[in-house]
Amino acid sequence: MIVFDLETTGLPKAEGSDLDMQPRIIEFGAIKLTDGTFEEIERLEFFCNPGHPLEPKITKLTGITDDMLADKDPFTAHYKTLCQFFLGQQSMAAHNLPFDRKILKFELERIDKVTNFPWPYDHICTVEIGESVWGKKRKLGDIHFEVTGKEIKNAHRSINDVEATIEIIKWYKSEGHF
């Protein structure tokens, strides 16, 4: 299983909007886990230069600055590494998976690789699972605090959010929700 999280240049625009107007990945974080025991096998982290300055609200939310991205490669430079990381995995999970999957798909569309990408066939969303547990959609930090009693350290940074999501998945499993 791969648990991943993206930080982006913003929120998706309306369906049918020009692909160039859609958000870009600025940070990718993922941890590959064993099935069942959720032991870490491998992790992957990288920044992507989106090719334009970040909006101040993105820097405020994530702490990621233009200077941090200035010398980083664009998404396309990470494609092969990303494929190798995902290859052969049965499951992918994220908090609000439809969002992260959509942004990743935009990046793959830009380089004409959507159908070449080794998408896992099982998609797990902790927001959707949580909705059945609490009867409403909840933020990652709120669920994490509920199940661990701790705040997420450096929230809205990909690998930190992945680690928090894993804790939630483990709790869901222990409680019989997953």
Side-chain angles (χ1 to χ4, degrees), residues 119-144:
W119 296 98
Y121 61 84
D122 188 21
H123 295 195
I124 301 157
C125 177
T126 55
V127 170
E128 291 171 6
I129 295 170
E131 200 169 5
S132 68
V133 174
W134 287 287
K136 62 180 179 178
K137 293 181 180 181
R138 296 183 69 194
K139 294 179 180 179
L140 179 65
D142 295 342
I143 297 174
H144 185 264

Side-chain angles (χ1 to χ4, degrees), residues 50-51 71-72 75 83 120 122 138 151 156 172:
D71 65 345
K72 303 303 182 212
F75 174 82
C83 283
D122 188 21
R138 296 183 69 194
E151 302 284 332
H156 297 291
Y172 284 160

